[in-house]
Amino acid sequence: MTDPFRISNRASGIKASGIRKFFELGLSMKNPIDLSIGQAHFDVPDAVKQAAIDAINEGRNRYTVTQGIPPLREKLRERYARRFGNIDDCEPMVTSGVSGALMLSFLALLDPGDEILIPDPYFVMYRHLATMVGATARTYDIYPDFKPTATDIRDRITDKTRLIIVNSPSNPTGYALNEAEARELAQLADDTGIPLISDEIYEDFIYTERHVSPREFTRNCIVVSGASKSMGMPGWRIGWMLAPRELTERMYSLQQFSYVCAPAPLQWAALKGLDQDFSAHREEYRGKRDLVYEGLKDNYRIVKPGGAFYMFPYLPEGVDAERFMEACIKRELLVVPGAACSDKATNFRLCFAATDDKLKTAVDMLNDIAKELK
Ligand code: PMP
């Protein structure tokens, strides 16, 4: 008899996240130093929580229009128009997290057999979302300095390539594009006619001069971003995107017939959140980046992150990933093996969104590990 719950090829092609595995391992430890999961360590600001509570109490609990509540979309339009100039032919759309925005764009633009290009190392979801829609993710290698260049990408383009993903500041490397690099990527999109998806979820965590988006230099670009990281509300599932109007209208239908809308009261809360000043968090995280970078740089080769809250150090020379992870786990220190977000196993990801005390303990442990394994 055939298995009544035979798993689809689509689902069979998707493995559990290598990052989640470490998160779950952490739950079984008594007092781990957990630098594995990627979320800010601060809570939602009180004014934003109050806006959510007020929205619930005022009965804003029904479905919203699928594209998102008008005042939030208006606020997003103003923000993007300030950054990108004339966006009259584009439409902001509110989604269920940035994951929702990515999913909708993949569904709208990819057919089975199509290819997308993602950086290596990459945010794990890109690969799996491509698989879910029947497409294939091919990587462009950004080792050793994590700078995505048009040359790296151009070499990987085939006649099936339909999308190029860029992510700045990056998960897992923290690399942030400068203006010349963003211009080069924009030019690539214009030359090839292959659109970029620019994942800017970490745009508020920037330690360089400013956050630069390739969308400043080309209209051939979908921008996805959201409130999960910057407002400390990853569990609230609020994201958004800016894309050309005809494409957005397609995505309205896809969202309408899947998730319907982002959580209604939390859209009102995110609207409030967009008026808050989060720059203190940026400065705090810059300090954390410096603490960890300065603490580790004598024992680990590290590309100093220009943004986000991740670092992707190289394993010490001659040390293999398995021994390294075992040494971390023995100390109840949780980091992510590089292979969970890369085709290579030469690095590890640590998230420095943690208290300074925890970070100092982690730095001491990692330095001990480097000495022990040498
Ligand atoms: N893009 C990147 C680069 C991320 O790191 C994450 C979250 N880890 C997401 C998108 C998904 O964000 P959300 O929680 O808003 O769906």
Side-chain angles (χ1 to χ4, degrees), residues 38 96-100 102 123 125-126 167 169-171 199 201-202 224-229 234 237-239 310 349:
S96 233
V98 175
S99 314
L102 289 166
F123 168 50
M125 192 181 281
Y126 302 144
N167 170 214
S170 148
N171 172 8
D199 182 343
I201 189 169
Y202 298 102
V224 299
S225 191
S228 300
K229 312 287 173 172
R237 312 311 304 133
I238 300 290
Y310 306 105
R349 186 190 83 172

Side-chain angles (χ1 to χ4, degrees), residues 31-42:
N31 195 16
I33 303 282
D34 188 355
L35 308 186
S36 70
I37 203 89
Q39 54 192 349
H41 82 306
F42 53 81

Side-chain angles (χ1 to χ4, degrees), residues 51-335:
I53 294 164
D54 290 346
I56 291 170
N57 286 335
E58 285 160 14
R60 298 180 196 266
N61 301 309
R62 305 179 153 228
Y63 297 127
T64 70
V65 281
T66 196
Q67 58 267 44
I69 55 170
L72 179 54
R73 290 173 58 241
E74 201 38 52
K75 172 91 60 184
L76 292 169
R77 170 173 289 288
E78 279 163 26
R79 279 164 71 100
Y80 281 128
R82 229 177 297 134
R83 283 180 59 200
F84 303 146
N86 183 345
I87 53 163
D88 288 352
D89 58 348
C90 288
E91 210 54 69
M93 173 174 181
V94 182
T95 55
S96 233
V98 175
S99 314
L102 289 166
M103 182 76 182
L104 292 176
S105 4
F106 283 25
L107 282 168
L109 292 170
L110 300 175
D111 278 319
D114 285 344
E115 293 177 356
I116 65 166
L117 288 176
I118 66 172
D120 180 9
Y122 46 79
F123 168 50
V124 280
M125 192 181 281
Y126 302 144
R127 191 184 268 290
H128 297 312
L129 282 179
T131 307
M132 278 186 220
V133 301
T136 303
R138 284 163 56 85
T139 53
Y140 57 93
D141 190 331
I142 53 171
Y143 289 91
D145 57 4
F146 308 136
K147 181 200 294 198
T149 69
T151 320
D152 298 330
I153 298 173
R154 206 181 284 272
D155 283 351
R156 303 285 291 158
I157 291 175
T158 72
D159 55 6
K160 294 185 182 153
T161 311
R162 292 287 322 277
L163 277 176
I164 298 166
I165 312 285
V166 292
N167 170 214
S168 171
S170 148
N171 172 8
T173 69
Y175 192 85
L177 290 172
N178 66 28
E179 192 173 316
E181 292 156 2
R183 272 185 194 280
E184 189 184 300
L185 296 172
Q187 189 64 48
L188 176 74
D190 288 342
D191 291 348
T192 58
I194 303 171
L196 305 173
I197 291 188
S198 180
D199 182 343
E200 304 183 3
I201 189 169
Y202 298 102
E203 63 186 295
D204 288 336
F205 300 91
I206 191 87
Y207 320 118
T208 55
E209 218 173 286
R210 69 179 186 94
H211 172 251
V212 189
S213 168
R215 178 61 179 77
E216 292 167 34
F217 313 111
T218 178
R219 304 170 94 76
N220 242 332
C221 178
I222 299 168
V223 175
V224 299
S225 191
S228 300
K229 312 287 173 172
S230 54
M231 299 185 198
M233 51 168 85
W236 284 15
R237 312 311 304 133
I238 300 290
W240 51 77
M241 68 176 136
L242 183 75
R245 181 165 295 112
E246 310 86 88
L247 172 61
T248 316
E249 281 167 6
R250 295 283 169 175
M251 296 197 273
Y252 293 169
S253 309
L254 293 166
Q255 180 156 269
Q256 183 73 69
F257 297 125
S258 52
Y259 299 103
V260 185
C261 62
L266 307 181
Q267 292 189 48
W268 291 97
L271 175 66
K272 181 77 180 176
L274 286 175
D275 286 335
Q276 307 283 304
D277 178 6
F278 288 92
S279 54
H281 290 312
R282 180 174 60 232
E283 290 319 304
E284 188 188 355
Y285 278 33
R286 183 200 301 277
K288 291 183 187 300
R289 174 202 60 169
D290 292 344
L291 185 164
V292 178
Y293 176 79
E294 292 301 325
L296 292 181
K297 72 177 190 328
D298 292 340
N299 287 311
Y300 293 86
R301 185 153 63 90
I302 304 173
V303 179
K304 193 172 181 178
F309 35 63
Y310 306 105
M311 217 172 266
F312 202 59
Y314 285 82
L315 296 173
E317 199 89 17
V319 172
D320 90 327
E322 205 161 317
R323 277 178 66 220
F324 177 79
M325 290 309 298
E326 274 165 16
C328 290
I329 289 166
K330 198 173 81 191
R331 290 167 173 81
E332 304 215 329
L333 169 64
L334 294 173
V335 295

